[in-house]
Amino acid sequence: MKYHIKLSREMIQGAKIAVLPGDPGRVEKTAKTLSADAVFLASNREYTSWLTKSGPHSILICSTGIGGPSLSIAVEELAGLGIEYFIRIGTTGAIQPNIEIPSLIITTGAVRLDGASKHYAPIEYPAVADLDITNSLIAGAKASGVAYYTGITASSDTFYPGQERYDTFSKYVIKDFQGSLEQWQKLNVLNFEMESATLFTIASAFGLKAGCIASVIVNRTRNETPDDSILKQAEENLALALGHSLEYMLHKRGGIKA
Ligand code: URA
């Protein structure tokens, strides 16, 4: 039985693919969208797990909580149970003016604005997504009919200063991050989120495979906070694209034995 996620090898029934939302509240819905046979497995702290299916294949859905440190624990323990493929699903704030809402962003590489990834590899080591998973996510997004973008994500440990939000409690963003949003825009970064840099670095360092697809809920060139009405749509778009991606990965491409 793993320390934090409270899962064992028997419980995950040979699953090789884990889908990782940040929010424990999204696990059940995601699992049930993929299959009516989804079953609850465990819940401890930020880690809630359900086992579901894509065709005959077992798929584990396990929440990671927000940010790199809690995600790193989930990835460590899931890898120890035999998970080889990690697909992060989440929400994101776009920073390029052309990005529509709702839409999906598939991260090809992440700017390492986290701390946890530095415990696994020096900062020169790239945080890049696995090509096969990324191609499956692209195929899934295309099949879903939702607008999507691919590119670089700035992946920050903090929601407020690291994403240059001046509604931080002190209203002060340290010098390192003042002007950083504009800098990332000019360097063609698409969006901010909080887990992909840690996930990609750990997965690559461990010889495992990871990808990330996120639903755009806000465009920082227009607003600082999402409109509540968009959240449900964003979640549905993500579940739809995920279902198609898994189908492509497991049944059409035929390259993954999971
Ligand atoms: N998640 C983030 O990390 N930033 C946003 O702006 C929205 C979601």
Side-chain angles (χ1 to χ4, degrees):
M1 177 69 70
K2 291 293 177 186
Y3 192 151
H4 299 87
I5 59 177
K6 303 292 182 205
L7 296 175
S8 65
R9 273 190 191 262
E10 294 66 44
M11 289 165 84
I12 70 166
Q13 294 177 27
K16 293 271 179 268
I17 300 179
V19 173
L20 309 176
D23 181 358
R26 272 195 223 128
V27 175
E28 177 175 354
K29 210 187 232 176
T30 306
K32 287 182 173 167
T33 306
L34 292 177
S35 167
D37 296 335
V39 289
F40 170 77
L41 293 183
S43 187
N44 183 47
R45 303 172 73 132
E46 56 268 72
Y47 308 108
T48 293
S49 301
W50 280 64
L51 195 65
T52 188
K53 296 252 172 211
S54 176
H57 303 275
S58 294
I59 310 286
L60 180 68
I61 319 284
C62 176
S63 56
T64 64
I66 295 178
S70 64
L71 174 132
S72 75
I73 292 173
V75 173
E76 287 270 5
E77 296 184 4
L78 291 170
L81 296 178
I83 296 291
E84 294 174 10
Y85 303 91
F86 297 86
I87 303 176
R88 166 165 157 69
I89 60 169
T91 55
T92 187
I95 60 170
Q96 297 294 342
N98 63 307
I99 295 180
E100 295 168 30
I101 301 175
S103 63
L104 299 165
I105 294 180
I106 297 159
T107 300
T108 55
V111 183
R112 292 173 58 190
L113 301 178
D114 66 326
S117 72
K118 293 177 201 134
H119 293 208
Y120 290 87
I123 195 66
E124 295 82 3
Y125 189 89
V128 285
D130 173 72
L131 205 51
D132 287 333
I133 294 186
T134 304
N135 284 334
S136 301
L137 293 174
I138 292 169
K142 259 186 204 153
S144 75
V146 181
Y148 73 93
Y149 307 83
T150 59
I152 299 171
T153 294
S155 187
S156 164
D157 254 357
T158 54
F159 184 80
Y160 289 95
Q163 301 186 20
E164 204 185 355
R165 291 178 184 272
Y166 291 94
D167 53 350
T168 177
F169 179 70
S170 65
K171 310 281 181 255
Y172 178 70
V173 169
I174 63 166
K175 290 211 169 82
D176 282 3
F177 293 121
Q178 286 178 27
S180 63
L181 192 148
E182 189 190 5
Q183 172 185 268
W184 302 129
Q185 283 173 329
K186 293 216 152 102
L187 294 173
N188 297 311
V189 169
L190 302 183
N191 61 317
F192 277 121
E193 60 79 72
M194 298 180 68
E195 292 82 13
S196 61
T198 314
L199 175 62
F200 292 171
T201 305
I202 299 179
S204 296
F206 284 179
L208 303 171
K209 294 170 184 286
C212 174
I213 184 165
S215 234
V216 179
I217 55 168
V218 68
N219 187 316
R220 297 281 305 282
T221 65
R222 299 193 270 282
N223 311 84
E224 286 296 316
T225 48
D227 179 346
D228 276 351
S229 64
I230 199 64
L231 296 175
K232 192 164 171 286
Q233 185 65 57
E235 201 172 299
E236 284 169 9
N237 289 346
L238 202 49
L240 189 62
L242 173 68
H244 287 300
S245 301
L246 288 170
E247 221 171 89
Y248 181 85
M249 229 170 126
L250 291 162
H251 312 299
K252 300 217 172 91
R253 211 184 124 263
I256 288 173
K257 297 195 177 18

Short mmCIF file of all heavy atoms in Angstrom, two decimals, residues 91-93 159 163 165 192-194 217-218 220, ligand 1:
data_model
loop_
_atom_site.label_atom_id
_atom_site.label_comp_id
_atom_site.label_asym_id
_atom_site.label_seq_id
_atom_site.Cartn_x
_atom_site.Cartn_y
_atom_site.Cartn_z
N THR A 91 -6.82 22.94 -15.78
CA THR A 91 -7.27 24.22 -16.32
C THR A 91 -6.06 25.14 -16.43
O THR A 91 -5.04 24.92 -15.79
CB THR A 91 -8.34 24.87 -15.41
OG1 THR A 91 -7.80 24.96 -14.09
CG2 THR A 91 -9.63 24.08 -15.42
N THR A 92 -6.23 26.18 -17.23
CA THR A 92 -5.08 27.04 -17.49
C THR A 92 -5.51 28.46 -17.84
O THR A 92 -6.63 28.69 -18.28
CB THR A 92 -4.23 26.45 -18.64
OG1 THR A 92 -3.03 27.21 -18.77
CG2 THR A 92 -4.95 26.46 -19.97
N GLY A 93 -4.58 29.38 -17.64
CA GLY A 93 -4.78 30.78 -18.04
C GLY A 93 -3.91 31.07 -19.26
O GLY A 93 -2.68 30.93 -19.20
N PHE A 159 0.41 30.55 -7.85
CA PHE A 159 -0.66 31.07 -8.70
C PHE A 159 -0.56 32.59 -8.78
O PHE A 159 -0.84 33.17 -9.83
CB PHE A 159 -2.00 30.67 -8.08
CG PHE A 159 -3.21 31.06 -8.89
CD1 PHE A 159 -3.62 30.30 -9.98
CD2 PHE A 159 -3.95 32.19 -8.55
CE1 PHE A 159 -4.73 30.66 -10.73
CE2 PHE A 159 -5.07 32.55 -9.29
CZ PHE A 159 -5.46 31.78 -10.38
N GLN A 163 2.81 33.96 -11.45
CA GLN A 163 2.04 34.23 -12.67
C GLN A 163 1.79 35.74 -12.80
O GLN A 163 0.89 36.17 -13.50
CB GLN A 163 0.73 33.44 -12.65
CG GLN A 163 0.98 31.93 -12.56
CD GLN A 163 -0.26 31.06 -12.69
OE1 GLN A 163 -1.30 31.50 -13.21
NE2 GLN A 163 -0.19 29.83 -12.22
N ARG A 165 0.54 38.07 -10.77
CA ARG A 165 -0.78 38.58 -10.41
C ARG A 165 -0.63 39.62 -9.30
O ARG A 165 -0.18 39.28 -8.19
CB ARG A 165 -1.69 37.44 -9.93
CG ARG A 165 -2.08 36.47 -11.01
CD ARG A 165 -2.94 35.37 -10.43
NE ARG A 165 -3.25 34.37 -11.42
CZ ARG A 165 -4.30 34.42 -12.23
NH1 ARG A 165 -5.17 35.40 -12.15
NH2 ARG A 165 -4.49 33.47 -13.11
N PHE A 192 -0.17 29.83 -18.58
CA PHE A 192 0.32 29.50 -17.24
C PHE A 192 -0.48 28.32 -16.69
O PHE A 192 -1.71 28.28 -16.82
CB PHE A 192 0.06 30.66 -16.26
CG PHE A 192 1.09 31.76 -16.28
CD1 PHE A 192 0.70 33.06 -16.57
CD2 PHE A 192 2.41 31.51 -15.95
CE1 PHE A 192 1.62 34.10 -16.55
CE2 PHE A 192 3.35 32.54 -15.93
CZ PHE A 192 2.96 33.84 -16.24
N GLU A 193 0.21 27.39 -16.07
CA GLU A 193 -0.41 26.39 -15.19
C GLU A 193 0.61 26.02 -14.13
O GLU A 193 1.61 26.71 -14.00
CB GLU A 193 -1.02 25.20 -15.97
CG GLU A 193 -0.09 24.39 -16.80
CD GLU A 193 0.72 23.41 -16.00
OE1 GLU A 193 0.19 22.39 -15.52
OE2 GLU A 193 1.94 23.67 -15.89
N MET A 194 0.36 24.94 -13.37
CA MET A 194 1.17 24.77 -12.17
C MET A 194 1.78 23.37 -11.96
O MET A 194 2.37 23.14 -10.91
CB MET A 194 0.34 25.15 -10.93
CG MET A 194 -0.10 26.61 -10.97
SD MET A 194 -1.08 27.10 -9.54
CE MET A 194 0.13 27.01 -8.24
N ILE A 217 -9.50 28.61 -19.22
CA ILE A 217 -10.65 29.18 -18.51
C ILE A 217 -10.56 30.70 -18.40
O ILE A 217 -11.51 31.36 -18.00
CB ILE A 217 -10.84 28.55 -17.11
CG1 ILE A 217 -9.56 28.67 -16.28
CG2 ILE A 217 -11.30 27.11 -17.22
CD1 ILE A 217 -9.77 28.34 -14.81
N VAL A 218 -9.38 31.24 -18.71
CA VAL A 218 -9.23 32.70 -18.64
C VAL A 218 -8.14 33.10 -19.64
O VAL A 218 -7.24 32.32 -19.92
CB VAL A 218 -8.87 33.13 -17.18
CG1 VAL A 218 -7.49 32.67 -16.77
CG2 VAL A 218 -9.00 34.63 -16.98
N ARG A 220 -5.50 36.06 -19.85
CA ARG A 220 -4.95 37.12 -19.01
C ARG A 220 -4.78 38.43 -19.77
O ARG A 220 -4.57 39.48 -19.17
CB ARG A 220 -3.62 36.67 -18.40
CG ARG A 220 -3.72 35.46 -17.46
CD ARG A 220 -4.20 35.82 -16.09
NE ARG A 220 -3.42 36.84 -15.47
CZ ARG A 220 -2.22 36.67 -14.89
NH1 ARG A 220 -1.68 35.46 -14.85
NH2 ARG A 220 -1.58 37.68 -14.34
N1 URA B 1 -4.50 27.73 -13.58
C1 URA B 1 -3.42 28.52 -13.45
O1 URA B 1 -2.37 28.09 -12.97
N2 URA B 1 -3.52 29.81 -13.84
C2 URA B 1 -4.66 30.34 -14.34
O2 URA B 1 -4.70 31.52 -14.67
C3 URA B 1 -5.79 29.49 -14.48
C4 URA B 1 -5.67 28.19 -14.08
#
